[in-house]
């Protein structure tokens, strides 16, 4: 005791860890840093989507290819370069549309104008589908819920009405109105161009199957009135009372729709028009066309699977909600990384390469130790034989 104060000795326990444990700690810290980096990139990409007001079916489909690539692409759209294959595919689809439509460029001033042009196209093509039983490049839209969904039975869809939903936009390549056994149905077709006359890989086929099933999901939701105008406007962050620009208004007048000069009037009309149509068939047709000859060489039917679609959407939504980190490609599909514009800056790819390098080094170490052990064992056996030979020689038997 010194004066009125009592001094006490404070003891600290220090745990000494070996190099292996220290390496594990470093690996855990690196993984935690990667999680924060990936979550930040997911958040940045989601914010860009929210600012844009929608996500495309192409973006959703790309999530099945590689989620890291998708996040890079959404966060850095200026770095995305159009490949020759993409340009040829776009030109092929444009040529299909020009065969039946006169394409008119419309100057848009707001995102409300952009959605209004889409709705006008829907109206024109709905009339075309009803009158001619055939249309191409049909705009479709709907809502993707980011909230967890309960398991759904086949042909039952979650009702998209929560505030954390995303507006989804897509374009169906071709719709045909058919009458089979007295029953009217819509037949959905998707065209895919190929550099050679062969069927794509399993990964590409999986993306195509998901894409066409999402188209059916969105179209059927519109036909069954499972989407309200209010939900679409809210999810797209659209002003329903804002007047369209003069260019779009003049186009509406040309189609006898001049009084529908804002979204709160045009959108309910479009949604009501869908009631005149049947839902799409369960069997969706994928047509493969050669880029060189422009000729069809294969047709494959994809059967709609409602449970699989719901599982995919639930898994995808976890990424946008930030409840999991993005998934990379499996090892057998690492060939995708050779064609990725973001491979050099991909932390996930570097991490996988580091893990594989350490595994190779560890395997080499095991082989080296096994080799040294084998050499030592052979050396001992040789020495033993020599000693035994010397013994027989000393005894006069040799």
């Amino acid at each position: 005791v010194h004066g009125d104060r009592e001094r006490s000795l404070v003891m600290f326990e220090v745990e000494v860890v070996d190099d292996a444990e220290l390496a594990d700690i470093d690996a855990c810290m690196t993984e935690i840093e990667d999680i924060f980096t990936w979550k930040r990139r997911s958040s940045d990409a989601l914010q860009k989507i929210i600012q844009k007001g929608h996500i495309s079916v192409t973006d959703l489909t790309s999530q099945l290819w590689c989620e890291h690539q998708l996040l890079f692409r959404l966060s850095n759209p200026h770095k995305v370069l159009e490949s020759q294959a993409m340009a040829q595919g776009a030109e092929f689809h444009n040529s299909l549309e020009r065969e039946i439509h006169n394409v008119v460029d419309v100057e848009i001033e707001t995102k409300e104008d952009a959605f209004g042009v889409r709705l006008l196209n829907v109206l024109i093509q709905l009339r075309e589908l009803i009158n001619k039983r055939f249309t191409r490049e049909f705009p479709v839209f709907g809502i993707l819920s980011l909230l967890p969904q309960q398991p759904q039975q086949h042909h039952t869809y979650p009702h998209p009405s929560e505030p954390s939903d995303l507006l989804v936009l897509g374009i169906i390549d071709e719709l045909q109105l058919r009458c089979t056994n007295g029953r009217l149905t819509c037949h959905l077709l998707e065209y895919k161009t190929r550099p050679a006359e062969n069927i794509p890989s399993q990964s590409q086929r999986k993306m195509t199957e998901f894409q066409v099933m999402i188209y059916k999901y969105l179209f059927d939701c519109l036909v069954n009135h499972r989407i309200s105008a209010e939900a679409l406007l809210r999810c797209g962050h659209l002003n329903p009372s804002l007047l369209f620009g003069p260019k779009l208004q003049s186009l509406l007048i040309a189609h006898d729709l001049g009084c529908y000069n804002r979204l709160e009037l045009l959108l309910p009309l479009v949604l009501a028009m869908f009631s005149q149509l049947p839902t799409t068939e369960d069997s969706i047709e994928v047509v493969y066309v050669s880029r060189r000859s422009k000729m069809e060489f294969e047709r494959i039917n994809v059967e709609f699977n409602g449970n699989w679609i719901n599982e995919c959407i639930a898994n995808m939504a976890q990424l946008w909600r930030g409840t999991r980190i993005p998934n990379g490609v499996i090892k057998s599909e690492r060939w995708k990384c050779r064609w990725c514009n973001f491979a050099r800056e991909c932390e996930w790819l570097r991490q996988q390469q580091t893990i594989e390098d350490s595994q190779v080094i560890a395997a080499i170490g095991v082989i080296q130790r096994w080799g040294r052990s084998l050499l030592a064992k052979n050396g001992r056996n040789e020495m033993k034989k020599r000693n035994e030979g010397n013994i027989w020689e000393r005894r006069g038997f040799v």
Side-chain angles (χ1 to χ4, degrees), residues 138-156:
F138 182 86
V140 69
F141 49 87
I143 295 174
L144 170 66
S145 177
L146 297 184
L147 295 180
Q149 300 290 346
Q150 298 299 322
Q152 302 291 327
Q153 297 299 320
H154 188 66
H155 290 147
T156 60

Side-chain angles (χ1 to χ4, degrees), residues 340-357:
C340 180
N341 294 331
F342 306 101
R344 291 186 177 181
E345 50 191 303
C346 181
E347 299 93 344
W348 177 85
L349 181 58
R350 286 200 299 270
Q351 185 185 76
Q352 297 303 307
Q353 291 171 339
T354 301
I355 292 172
E356 289 176 4
D357 289 345

Side-chain angles (χ1 to χ4, degrees), residues 18-299:
D18 58 23
D19 291 341
E21 291 177 306
L22 191 60
D24 289 339
I25 293 172
D26 288 339
C28 289
M29 293 302 296
T30 301
E31 185 174 349
I32 292 172
E33 291 174 0
D34 289 340
I35 290 173
F36 279 110
T37 299
W38 292 330
K39 280 200 171 186
R40 184 172 62 252
R41 183 168 294 134
S42 299
S43 177
D44 291 344
L46 182 57
Q47 288 303 315
K48 287 184 181 294
I49 291 171
I50 291 173
Q51 291 170 6
K52 188 170 61 171
H54 68 270
I55 189 171
S56 69
V57 173
T58 301
D59 291 334
L60 292 178
T61 305
S62 299
Q63 202 168 337
L64 292 178
W65 183 260
C66 176
E67 292 184 339
H68 288 279
Q69 186 190 67
L70 173 62
L71 294 179
F72 272 118
R73 184 164 57 80
L74 293 177
S75 303
N76 306 277
H78 59 283
K79 291 187 178 181
V80 180
L81 302 176
E82 185 181 51
S83 65
Q84 183 180 5
M86 292 167 62
Q88 290 175 341
E91 176 56 32
F92 174 77
H93 283 83
N94 289 336
S95 65
L96 285 180
E97 184 178 19
R98 287 194 296 266
E99 287 179 3
I100 61 172
H101 294 147
N102 292 322
V103 180
V104 178
D105 292 329
V106 182
E107 183 180 340
I108 58 174
E109 300 177 1
T110 63
K111 59 183 179 181
E112 285 76 14
D113 279 359
F115 198 64
V117 170
R118 175 174 286 267
L119 294 178
L120 177 58
N121 282 332
V122 170
L123 275 177
I124 294 171
Q125 292 182 252
L126 281 174
R127 292 173 178 174
E128 183 178 54
L129 182 61
I130 292 170
N131 295 328
K132 299 181 180 179
R133 301 200 169 193
F134 168 80
T135 190
R136 283 178 179 162
E137 300 298 303
F138 182 86
V140 69
F141 49 87
I143 295 174
L144 170 66
S145 177
L146 297 184
L147 295 180
Q149 300 290 346
Q150 298 299 322
Q152 302 291 327
Q153 297 299 320
H154 188 66
H155 290 147
T156 60
Y157 307 119
H159 198 288
S161 59
E162 298 295 339
S164 56
D165 296 343
L166 286 175
L167 178 63
V168 183
L169 305 180
I171 296 179
I172 297 174
D173 285 351
E174 188 172 312
L175 278 172
Q176 298 175 2
L177 206 55
R178 295 180 174 181
C179 185
T180 306
N181 298 325
R183 178 173 172 263
L184 202 62
T185 61
C186 275
H187 184 64
L188 195 154
L189 291 92
E190 174 72 16
Y191 289 91
K192 293 294 181 185
T193 58
R194 297 287 297 159
E197 294 188 4
N198 54 17
I199 301 301
S201 66
Q202 179 62 35
S203 297
Q204 292 171 305
R205 293 200 302 272
K206 182 180 178 182
M207 291 174 62
T208 298
E209 290 170 2
F210 176 81
Q211 180 184 6
V212 296
M213 289 186 200
I214 283 291
Y215 287 151
K216 173 180 168 58
Y217 167 86
L218 296 175
F219 187 89
D220 289 355
C221 280
L222 290 166
V223 171
N224 292 324
H225 301 288
R226 297 193 59 83
I227 299 175
S228 68
E230 293 77 14
L232 287 167
L233 294 169
R234 185 191 66 240
C235 293
H237 305 283
L238 299 166
N239 183 351
S241 59
L242 182 67
L243 289 174
F244 294 136
K247 298 290 186 181
L248 178 54
Q249 286 202 45
S250 62
L251 201 59
L252 287 166
I253 292 171
H255 287 85
D256 298 324
L257 296 167
C259 58
Y260 299 95
N261 56 3
R262 52 192 186 273
L263 287 176
E264 63 185 355
L265 299 175
L266 184 60
L267 182 54
L269 175 66
V270 172
L271 294 179
M273 279 283 291
F274 275 98
S275 62
Q276 301 180 38
L277 293 173
T279 55
T280 52
E281 297 174 0
D282 288 347
S283 183
I284 308 165
E285 204 164 4
V286 180
V287 183
Y288 290 99
V289 178
S290 168
R291 290 193 199 124
R292 293 180 180 178
S293 65
K294 304 294 188 296
M295 299 296 292
E296 169 194 335
F297 66 88
E298 187 71 51
R299 288 191 178 222

